[in-house]
Amino acid sequence: MKIKFMKTKLLYTAIIAGTLSLASCELDEYNPTGGDATIESFDAWSGLETYCYSPLSEQLYSVYDFMSVAEGGTDMWLTPGGNPDYAKQLIYYDGLTTNTNGTNKVFKQAYSCIASCNAVINNADNVKGITDYDKKILTAEAKTLRAFYNLLLVTYYGPVTLSQEDISKGETNVRPVRNTVEEFYTSIINDLTEASKDLEVQPYGGNYARVCKKTALGLLARAYAQGAGEGLSENGVSYWQRAKDVAEDIINNASAYNVYLYPDVSDLWAQANNRNNPEALFIVSGRDANDESYNYVNCNNNLFTYTICNPYKCSDIYTRADNTNYYLGRTNNNTLAPTKYTLNVFDPSWDKRYENTFLTAFGLFSMVDAGWVGPYNACRVRITKNLTEKYKIGEQYVGQYIYPYVDMATSTSAYGGNQYYPTGVWAKGDHSGDTKNLIKDVKNVYVVDYPVAEDDDRFAIVLSRDYKTPEEKAKSIYFTVNIDDLFDGDQYKTAQFDGTNSYQLYPSLIKYDWCYNGVVGNHMQRRNGDMMVMRTAEVYLIAAEACQQLGDQAGAAKYLKPLRDRAARPGKTAPELTNITEDTILDEYAREMAGEFYRWSLLKRHHKLGERLKLYNSRAARYFNESIHYNRPISADFLNQIENKDEYGDNGYGTTPGKGY
């Protein structure tokens, strides 16, 4: 089910004119101007409450801006060799300033809906025709969302303004005053505590895209953990203890809160489980091209195209161009690549989170029943002597073929145009082209079990974690690239080093490359699956993190164990953790939550950004300033629209006389 962004018109015409204020809003799904309704109307009030969700799907969790803010500038991500300077301001702090697009937009998007949340909360008692139940639940939803946006602001921008603006009043604050970090967290904790008491276990109207009790509790644990990094306490009790208490309550009462943890991590990332994933505590629902709700949201998610490389750069062996790749999608942005640390933190000998996170084996596809790309044999690539010489494939493979890995179907959806989705995977060694022989029960066509066999002729390119000599590479039928060879020190090489374009390849984050019927957008650069803003595994990580910070190693091990056990390969056992340090916790977060909009905030709360950059991202370390970069820059648009920008400050980025705090 989807949230329908109603276009109800309200009577307060002055509100949106306030791009001058913290309530400025660039979103267009809800237009509170003109018309003859007022906020006292239930339809108008509830429509405004629904609008409070809009930046989640339309901006924050569907385009690159927030991802670059939340993951960039950390120990986990670089720009790849083929695109070394894209978003360098956020990936490397190189030129980061108040008008940097990502930080500028996220600041405005958060504030845009806080004023709407305030209006919903402030006017609840004045709404006509409302039931007590509707008032309680929808007000609690608005408090949860207000807390979420305020947590985003204080986490990334520090002590900014705890906005009291109410969009229904048509007021603009042109001389805002900063609040303290402690005031922010007090407000956030109060909102989430109250909301968690009023929200039901099941979401309002059965719509899983709405927040519910487990959402408020999960965010409460996250807020306590983030505030703990600021040294905060509550009534003499540290926020770390509070984080532990809330996380343990969620874990110990999971069934009562409808909280679930998959026993197998591969099921978590299975394509069939993307919609309404039971491990999610907070979901941003994607568009379903086979459902009428596709028309209700202006959401076109293109995150995958930034995280996946383009194997067509080696076009003579991987012969499907990015703009006709119905399997991988249009992979033409290529901007976010993992660091050596990110790759090496996994031990793929036992941990299958490695291939459930990164694609390192690139296969071709067929469309046998659809007939779009010719018959099965037309989709194979003949290995010539020239290819063996160029890609150092053994001469014994000359005259043999690289065959398709996956077969794709196509259909025309009722609402979203052509859809492309897998019918199955071709079995290794089966070259019949008979779709009756396809392996149908594949959880995720982007997850290729590690390691790839030397004779697996379904792959054209394999990026190898294990270093292989030229002699070992020649044993494989595919082009083998040592991942270590892609790096010059801790950064990706930016030019050919082996006579091929392999320098433009990298292990590719696949958490946002969805492939099932209904998820593809109007063109192949969009894949509109559900996004998990928070999931149960984070609660276990917070519990372990809090235990470690409180000196309870046994407790930390207890909460890490379920995550590690479910990641173990069949026949393997996750190594037992004994000496659990702060770095142990950071490493486990990296394995579990790579790319999930979390790394920067985690390193901030441990005050580890500078230290970790020196170890794993030297380019970012050159520009990182400990006295400035623990807060992102204030929005230039906002500063230019207030009357006291010199007093307010820009967090130290040089466009105002001082930081402002």
Side-chain angles (χ1 to χ4, degrees):
M1 298 180 71
K2 307 290 182 285
I3 287 184
K4 300 179 181 181
F5 293 138
M6 300 172 62
K7 295 189 177 182
T8 309
K9 293 184 178 180
L10 305 179
L11 187 62
Y12 33 90
T13 59
I15 287 72
I16 288 298
T19 55
L20 191 66
S21 71
L22 293 178
S24 66
C25 182
E26 296 181 339
L27 304 166
D28 61 4
E29 284 301 314
Y30 176 82
N31 181 21
T33 61
D36 56 4
T38 70
I39 200 166
E40 286 78 22
S41 157
F42 177 71
D43 285 345
W45 179 81
S46 62
L48 181 60
E49 192 275 340
T50 299
Y51 174 69
C52 296
Y53 287 89
S54 59
L56 298 174
S57 61
E58 293 183 15
Q59 288 289 323
L60 291 173
Y61 290 94
S62 61
V63 299
Y64 187 63
D65 300 304
F66 185 37
M67 175 176 276
S68 66
V69 171
E71 292 286 334
T74 69
D75 54 356
M76 288 191 69
W77 304 102
L78 307 169
T79 52
N83 204 359
D85 289 327
Y86 189 90
K88 65 180 182 179
Q89 298 89 345
L90 286 159
I91 304 300
Y92 301 117
Y93 304 92
D94 182 359
L96 180 61
T97 187
T98 57
N99 61 8
T100 296
N101 193 52
T103 49
N104 195 7
K105 285 180 66 175
V106 170
F107 184 92
K108 294 188 296 180
Q109 288 156 8
Y111 272 123
S112 72
C113 280
I114 288 175
S116 297
C117 294
N118 288 342
V120 171
I121 295 162
N122 296 344
N123 289 284
D125 291 335
N126 303 322
V127 178
K128 297 178 177 64
I130 190 173
T131 67
D132 289 341
Y133 175 79
D134 287 341
K135 180 170 71 171
K136 181 181 75 170
I137 299 300
L138 295 179
T139 301
E141 285 188 18
K143 288 180 179 179
T144 303
L145 293 169
R146 180 171 69 178
F148 173 80
Y149 295 128
N150 274 324
L151 181 58
L152 187 155
L153 286 167
V154 74
T155 297
Y156 293 100
Y157 301 94
V160 286
T161 300
L162 196 59
S163 177
Q164 304 302 318
E165 290 191 8
D166 179 333
I167 198 171
S168 68
K169 293 182 168 55
E171 301 169 348
T172 57
N173 180 4
V174 295
R175 298 191 64 82
V177 176
R178 287 182 182 251
N179 291 87
T180 66
V181 167
E182 186 171 11
E183 287 170 336
F184 258 92
Y185 279 99
T186 298
S187 175
I188 292 164
I189 299 303
N190 287 342
D191 271 351
L192 293 172
T193 300
E194 292 174 6
S196 67
K197 293 175 181 176
D198 287 343
L199 289 168
E200 302 285 350
V201 171
Q202 296 300 325
Y204 181 76
N207 190 334
Y208 73 78
R210 289 186 176 274
V211 300
C212 56
K213 188 179 290 288
K214 65 183 179 182
T215 315
L217 288 172
L219 291 176
L220 184 60
R222 179 189 284 186
Y224 273 129
Q226 199 66 39
E230 304 286 350
L232 299 178
S233 61
E234 182 179 81
N235 299 323
V237 179
S238 78
Y239 268 31
W240 283 123
Q241 183 64 50
R242 294 295 194 209
K244 177 177 181 288
D245 293 344
V246 175
E248 287 183 332
D249 173 53
I250 297 170
I251 294 167
N252 294 336
N253 297 287
S255 60
Y257 295 138
N258 194 31
V259 168
Y260 181 74
L261 185 78
Y262 275 108
D264 187 331
V265 76
S266 64
D267 289 322
L268 168 67
W269 299 113
Q271 298 285 340
N273 295 331
N274 174 250
R275 298 285 193 213
N276 195 15
N277 193 299
E279 187 165 315
L281 305 181
F282 188 177
I283 295 177
V284 175
S285 62
R287 303 170 85 180
D288 185 345
N290 296 312
D291 190 274
E292 182 188 8
S293 62
Y294 185 88
N295 295 324
Y296 298 148
V297 180
N298 183 24
C299 168
N300 289 299
N301 195 316
N302 63 1
L303 287 176
F304 84 93
T305 191
Y306 291 96
T307 66
I308 192 167
C309 72
N310 185 357
Y312 185 64
K313 298 296 183 180
C314 299
S315 59
D316 48 358
I317 194 167
Y318 191 93
T319 56
R320 181 55 57 181
D322 67 282
N323 62 345
T324 57
N325 195 322
Y326 303 107
Y327 163 49
L328 293 182
R330 189 166 191 189
T331 60
N332 63 332
N333 279 324
N334 325 126
T335 62
L336 200 68
T339 62
K340 274 188 177 181
Y341 161 75
T342 304
L343 298 168
N344 292 337
V345 77
F346 293 91
D347 180 354
S349 68
W350 69 267
D351 191 345
K352 60 188 176 184
R353 286 177 294 188
Y354 179 68
E355 65 262 30
N356 277 272
T357 301
F358 294 109
L359 176 65
T360 57
F362 299 89
L364 297 167
F365 67 93
S366 59
M367 300 181 81
V368 173
D369 289 334
W372 274 35
V373 294
Y376 175 80
N377 282 343
C379 302
R380 61 188 183 173
V381 176
R382 186 173 186 272
I383 301 173
T384 65
K385 183 171 176 49
N386 286 340
L387 286 181
T388 62
E389 291 175 349
K390 181 176 181 179
Y391 292 109
K392 307 302 185 287
I393 299 169
E395 290 186 0
Q396 69 272 24
Y397 294 114
V398 171
Q400 297 189 35
Y401 291 90
I402 297 168
Y403 291 89
Y405 166 63
V406 65
D407 194 66
M408 301 292 294
T410 182
S411 65
T412 301
S413 68
Y415 302 95
N418 288 327
Q419 300 295 299
Y420 317 103
Y421 48 91
T423 56
V425 165
W426 297 106
K428 179 175 176 286
D430 175 18
H431 305 144
S432 67
D434 187 342
T435 55
K436 292 193 293 291
N437 297 336
L438 286 168
I439 302 170
K440 302 284 189 178
D441 58 344
V442 176
K443 295 178 182 179
N444 190 331
V445 292
Y446 302 122
V447 175
V448 179
D449 288 342
Y450 170 91
V452 178
E454 293 174 345
D455 64 344
D456 197 331
D457 56 11
R458 300 172 301 168
F459 300 100
I461 303 168
V462 173
L463 310 181
S464 179
R465 252 286 301 266
D466 301 316
Y467 198 87
K468 294 190 175 182
T469 65
E471 293 74 21
E472 290 169 327
K473 289 181 181 181
K475 295 178 182 178
S476 299
I477 194 169
Y478 43 77
F479 175 33
T480 303
V481 182
N482 290 321
I483 291 175
D484 279 352
D485 286 341
L486 297 173
F487 287 90
D488 183 4
D490 64 4
Q491 303 293 306
Y492 283 94
K493 293 175 180 175
T494 58
Q496 289 189 1
F497 61 88
D498 60 358
T500 79
N501 284 332
S502 65
Y503 76 98
Q504 299 191 56
L505 304 174
Y506 53 90
S508 299
L509 181 72
I510 53 172
K511 290 181 176 180
Y512 309 122
D513 204 351
W514 304 289
C515 196
Y516 55 88
N517 193 357
V519 79
V520 177
N522 285 324
H523 58 70
M524 295 183 345
Q525 208 169 29
R526 296 170 180 169
R527 305 236 166 162
N528 295 311
D530 284 2
M531 295 286 294
M532 290 185 283
V533 177
M534 189 174 189
R535 57 185 178 88
T536 305
E538 183 185 337
V539 177
Y540 279 79
L541 289 165
I542 288 171
E545 179 186 10
C547 285
Q548 188 276 325
Q549 289 290 307
L550 294 167
D552 179 7
Q553 287 207 15
K558 171 185 173 183
Y559 293 117
L560 293 180
K561 182 174 172 56
L563 304 182
R564 294 167 63 83
D565 286 350
R566 72 173 185 166
R569 301 183 185 285
K572 299 286 186 176
T573 301
E576 185 178 350
L577 293 174
T578 52
N579 181 31
I580 298 179
T581 65
E582 190 174 34
D583 284 340
T584 307
I585 299 295
L586 298 181
D587 289 349
E588 205 61 46
Y589 266 104
R591 297 181 191 105
E592 185 68 30
M593 298 190 68
E596 294 186 54
F597 296 76
Y598 207 81
R599 193 62 178 181
W600 195 91
S601 63
L602 177 70
L603 295 186
K604 175 177 176 173
R605 73 176 177 240
H606 287 272
H607 209 81
K608 288 281 190 175
L609 280 165
E611 176 184 321
R612 303 282 290 194
L613 292 176
K614 289 177 182 176
L615 291 172
Y616 306 118
N617 187 349
S618 60
R619 182 175 172 186
R622 287 199 300 272
Y623 296 99
F624 184 79
N625 186 330
E626 288 277 348
S627 68
I628 296 173
H629 288 139
Y630 275 96
N631 289 316
R632 298 305 204 179
I634 302 298
S635 160
D637 291 344
F638 164 73
L639 290 172
N640 290 334
Q641 292 164 350
I642 63 175
E643 294 177 355
N644 61 333
K645 84 171 190 178
D646 285 349
E647 176 186 345
Y648 197 90
D650 67 357
N651 283 354
Y653 285 83
T655 64
T656 62
K659 290 183 179 181
Y661 63 90

